[in-house]
Amino acid sequence: MQADVEELSVGFNLNIPPPYRLKAGKYRGFTTFRIGPGGDFDFGNDVSNLSGDSLTVNFELDVQHAFMFEFPPGSDRAVLEPRNGWQAWLAGGKAPQRIYRDLPFRVWSTGPFKVYKLCQHDMGAHCAISSDEGEQVAVEVAMSLPAGIQHRGQAVERLQLPTGRFAALQFEAAMPTLNRPGQLHFEVGRNDVQAMLKHPGSNYAGQVTVVFDAEL
């Protein structure tokens, strides 16, 4: 009995981690099958006219992630104030324990990314704001993210951001995150607030740049 094989199809099922846990980029690989008696494809001893004794299949996986942080208008300026403003202190009340501002944003992310900050005025691990007279106080910069994004397997809640690219924190996707809320937190603590109050009428200012980097 003679049979002619004119066409043969092979299907593949790639066993890979969830794509949202992979870095963006192209992943390549290959596998080689042996053809002939005792091989991966064995058509019998009397098969002839084979084009070769092996078949190499090349694979390419292109991973592209959604990655966007959206801030409302006016988020380029964060005015630090006590809770409920300055009126209580101006009316003779207690000095504020802290001054702060929380900036909300929306995030779309389906893969890992890094975050770090850059400071106009550096003060150790912190950024600083400076008065017209050159007095400086530290500003803590922290971030909260939705539950679908984690840092070292933990939820991200008021996590302080490091300064500089080489100290950047890496965040992983526990699940795809689409249009979920997060916050940046800026705060001057009690001791520094006390120092600021010794210079009434002074204006403190400084620039803080928060970098969201998907190019891992």
Side-chain angles (χ1 to χ4, degrees):
M1 179 178 179
Q2 180 176 343
D4 295 329
V5 178
E6 297 181 355
E7 184 175 329
L8 177 67
S9 298
V10 179
F12 297 93
N13 183 17
L14 297 180
N15 184 16
I16 62 172
Y20 57 81
R21 292 191 179 275
L22 297 175
K23 296 180 181 179
K26 291 187 177 181
Y27 296 77
R28 297 181 176 89
F30 68 89
T31 186
T32 299
F33 299 97
R34 295 178 296 114
I35 301 175
D40 300 295
F41 295 97
D42 187 348
F43 301 103
N45 295 329
D46 297 326
V47 173
S48 59
N49 296 325
L50 294 175
S51 59
D53 60 2
S54 67
L55 170 66
T56 297
V57 180
N58 295 293
F59 300 94
E60 180 176 299
L61 177 64
D62 188 0
V63 178
Q64 299 182 13
H65 291 298
F67 186 68
M68 183 173 70
F69 285 75
E70 183 178 85
F71 288 82
S75 296
D76 58 333
R77 186 169 183 264
V79 178
L80 308 183
E81 295 180 317
R83 183 184 295 274
N84 300 322
W86 290 97
Q87 292 304 315
W89 181 70
L90 293 174
K94 293 182 179 180
Q97 298 296 305
R98 64 184 183 121
I99 57 175
Y100 69 99
R101 177 68 62 186
D102 296 329
L103 294 182
F105 58 80
R106 310 293 295 187
V107 56
W108 289 255
S109 178
T110 58
F113 60 91
K114 291 183 178 180
V115 181
Y116 58 94
K117 71 180 187 293
L118 300 173
C119 309
Q120 179 185 11
H121 307 295
D122 287 297
M123 181 176 281
H126 301 289
C127 294
I129 51 177
S130 179
S131 71
D132 298 333
E133 294 76 27
E135 299 290 335
Q136 293 188 346
V137 295
V139 178
E140 295 182 359
V141 183
M143 182 172 65
S144 297
L145 292 172
I149 302 173
Q150 298 178 343
H151 172 63
R152 295 182 177 178
Q154 301 296 318
V156 181
E157 183 67 29
R158 304 190 74 90
L159 181 63
Q160 291 200 25
L161 299 180
T163 303
R165 179 181 179 185
F166 294 106
L169 299 179
Q170 182 164 331
F171 299 89
E172 304 84 25
M175 64 183 69
T177 298
L178 302 175
N179 195 21
R180 302 294 296 166
Q183 285 188 322
L184 287 177
H185 311 282
F186 300 89
E187 180 176 326
V188 175
R190 177 179 180 179
N191 291 339
D192 284 324
V193 170
Q194 297 297 321
M196 295 173 70
L197 295 179
K198 295 177 182 178
H199 305 278
S202 295
N203 180 52
Y204 287 78
Q207 292 183 358
V208 177
T209 302
V210 178
V211 180
F212 301 89
D213 186 2
E215 298 295 330
L216 303 180

